Amino acid sequence: MALGATRDEQGTRDLAAIQGEELAAIGVTQNFAPVADVNINPANPVIGVRSFSSDPDLAAALTAAQVKGYENDAGISAAAKHFPGHGDTDVDSHFGFPVINHTREEWEAIDKPPFQAAVDAGIDVIMTAHIQVPALDPSGDPATLSKPIITDMLRGEMGYDGVVVTDSLGMAGVREKYGDDRVPVLALRAGVDILLNPPDMAAAYNGVLDAVESGELTQKRLDESLYRILDLKWDNGVIHHPTVDPEAVMDVVGIDEHLARAQEVTDESPTVVKNDDGALPMTADGADLLVTGYGVATKQTLATKIQERGATAEVAATSTNPTQAQIDAAVAAAQDKDAVVVLTMNAASSAGQAGLVNALRATGKPVVVAAVRNPYDIAEFAAAETFVATYSYKDIALESLTKILFGEASPVGTLPVDIPTKDDPDTVLFPFGTGLTW
């Protein structure tokens, strides 16, 4: 979503190229990215900020950009996931079996475009999803095991002839209906080429062997997958260059040029959704701030970056779901501060975060709320006067946030998703494209 907030196709491609070049330098020739899912469900527990956007066109454009960065620029294989689209579920397929109730027309309009863009960009690999989509296959089978979805739709209708890999076969979404000996067989029958992470290798191997010996799986079918995999290894250089030079790794990994470009693109991502009281930007010189909210290391990292600008920053310790005692201590610490920065992370699942934000707002001090993962947090405390979405708690994102706090950079990021109200998912609180600047 940080990349979605930038709307920067070239930046998205450049960062994929950097990742790809660094992976190749250490001998990794395939990345299980990009996530091509269109996250239209704020309650999605498994995709969320891994998705570029809730807008199919934006997700498609950035999916294609990353495919080109990995494959055309860096020379490694990309893998778009999770086909046919995992963006509209509130069930995590690691632990359950999600059902996507999109009609065929909704799938065509919402879920298909990023995957079609990946196919059209020449992607090497597509990863399946352990989800049920009755409109695409009424059998009740997960997409990973569905011939109508993998062979008829992906390969037939969409024109994809590359490698198909399953998501992990250890996930609950693919194990609820069939045993570990049958899942690999059904996946191969569906048109899959690579079986990722079977939880019981002996059961998987013997299940496939039994299916070949009984005639359920033919040698011809297995050869189709074998040739696709060998073609992939040939094309991405595994055959020609099977090893790398360890002495040359640090000539590529983490070099200044890569870090600078990553920071430049990340600086485009922070999205100022609200600044009602004009708290932003602040003046760093002589400012005395309180930093509280999510993450022990995250708070300290931000405080350090604030101090590097000449301000004073005290950290008030709180857990992910702040207790009343922690809230009271933070409120007490805020009394002699000029302003407070509160970090939130998936606030919908931790009521204490909203309690912390609202208690600090009641002090009358300027409170800047920064969501360091899902931008949907603002729905939990919609009255907050100042809200910034960073989409990440990594150091590089906190550096970008600090630049926005003190006016070193003007915010240019805009929401890559609609944010609905807390109580009604059909009522939009802040629409796609919202973003303030100065």
Side-chain angles (χ1 to χ4, degrees):
M1 280 189 193
L3 290 169
T6 72
R7 308 298 199 271
D8 184 351
E9 292 182 39
Q10 186 61 55
T12 298
R13 178 169 178 166
D14 287 349
L15 294 200
I18 288 169
Q19 291 175 358
E21 289 166 8
E22 296 197 359
L23 286 168
I26 62 172
V28 177
T29 58
Q30 175 179 287
N31 191 15
F32 284 141
V35 170
D37 303 313
V38 180
N39 199 83
I40 63 172
N41 190 335
N44 196 323
V46 66
I47 305 300
V49 294
R50 301 166 68 196
S51 165
F52 291 116
S53 179
S54 63
D55 179 78
D57 292 336
L58 179 58
L62 299 188
T63 294
Q66 282 212 324
V67 172
K68 293 171 184 174
Y70 290 126
E71 298 189 354
N72 298 14
D73 301 337
I76 73 165
S77 296
K81 59 188 184 184
H82 309 79
F83 188 81
H86 208 315
D88 188 13
T89 176
D90 57 6
V91 175
D92 185 341
S93 53
H94 291 85
F95 309 109
F97 186 21
V99 179
I100 308 291
N101 287 311
H102 287 184
T103 65
R104 175 62 189 250
E105 292 74 23
E106 288 172 329
W107 178 80
E108 294 272 357
I110 298 169
D111 304 290
K112 179 182 177 181
F115 291 99
Q116 189 65 63
V119 171
D120 294 344
I123 196 163
D124 288 339
V125 181
I126 288 181
M127 179 184 282
T128 67
H130 304 325
I131 58 174
Q132 181 186 162
V133 190
L136 306 184
D137 179 357
S139 70
D141 285 345
T144 296
L145 311 183
S146 169
K147 187 173 183 291
I149 291 174
I150 304 303
T151 295
D152 299 344
M153 289 180 52
L154 178 58
R155 296 202 185 280
E157 296 176 23
M158 296 175 64
Y160 179 65
D161 61 2
V163 168
V164 175
V165 60
T166 71
D167 206 342
S168 169
L169 297 184
M171 294 165 60
V174 77
R175 300 177 75 192
E176 286 197 355
K177 191 173 179 181
Y178 301 102
D180 292 337
D181 59 333
R182 290 297 296 162
V183 166
V185 174
L186 297 173
L188 291 168
R189 287 180 57 183
V192 164
D193 301 303
I194 298 177
L195 307 169
L196 179 64
N197 192 33
D200 185 335
M201 185 61 76
Y205 174 83
N206 289 319
V208 172
L209 188 63
D210 290 345
V212 172
E213 290 176 345
S214 71
E216 183 182 7
L217 280 174
T218 65
Q219 186 70 49
K220 179 177 182 295
R221 168 65 197 89
L222 295 186
D223 283 347
E224 290 173 357
S225 290
L226 176 63
Y227 289 135
R228 288 191 194 105
I229 295 165
L230 291 176
D231 282 344
L232 176 64
K233 290 185 175 186
W234 182 273
D235 290 343
N236 73 10
V238 175
I239 305 299
H240 305 294
H241 306 286
T243 62
V244 297
D245 178 7
E247 299 299 322
V249 168
M250 298 314 295
D251 294 337
V252 178
V253 175
I255 60 176
D256 290 345
E257 177 186 350
H258 287 178
L259 295 174
R261 183 59 176 140
Q263 189 66 65
E264 184 178 41
V265 176
T266 304
D267 285 349
E268 301 171 10
S269 63
T271 305
V272 178
V273 177
K274 296 184 72 179
N275 191 31
D276 291 352
D277 58 1
L280 298 179
M282 304 178 187
T283 299
D285 188 28
D288 189 7
L289 306 183
L290 180 70
V291 177
T292 189
Y294 169 77
V296 175
T298 308
K299 288 193 290 285
Q300 188 55 59
T301 298
L302 180 61
T304 299
K305 292 182 181 298
I306 289 172
Q307 290 165 343
E308 289 171 353
R309 270 69 177 186
T312 301
E314 177 185 345
V315 173
T318 55
S319 58
T320 299
N321 191 16
T323 64
Q324 189 59 52
Q326 290 171 335
I327 293 172
D328 292 343
V331 167
Q335 297 303 322
D336 62 350
K337 297 297 185 288
D338 297 320
V340 182
V341 181
V342 187
L343 306 180
T344 66
M345 201 271 207
N346 296 347
S349 60
S350 300
Q353 293 189 34
L356 176 65
V357 169
N358 291 327
L360 288 166
R361 289 181 54 243
T363 66
K365 301 289 183 178
V367 176
V368 178
V369 183
V372 294
R373 191 167 172 86
N374 284 318
Y376 306 112
D377 285 3
I378 184 59
E380 301 301 310
F381 28 78
E385 289 79 11
T386 308
F387 180 78
V388 184
T390 69
Y391 314 96
S392 170
Y393 49 82
K394 299 294 187 181
D395 287 10
I396 193 170
L398 298 176
E399 175 68 17
S400 298
L401 171 62
T402 307
K403 291 179 179 180
I404 299 303
L405 292 179
F406 295 121
E408 295 174 21
S410 297
V412 295
T414 57
L415 285 178
V417 294
D418 286 332
I419 297 179
T421 61
K422 175 179 172 62
D423 298 321
D424 183 3
D426 295 323
T427 300
V428 175
L429 181 64
F430 295 101
F432 172 92
T434 296
L436 305 177
T437 190
W438 45 77

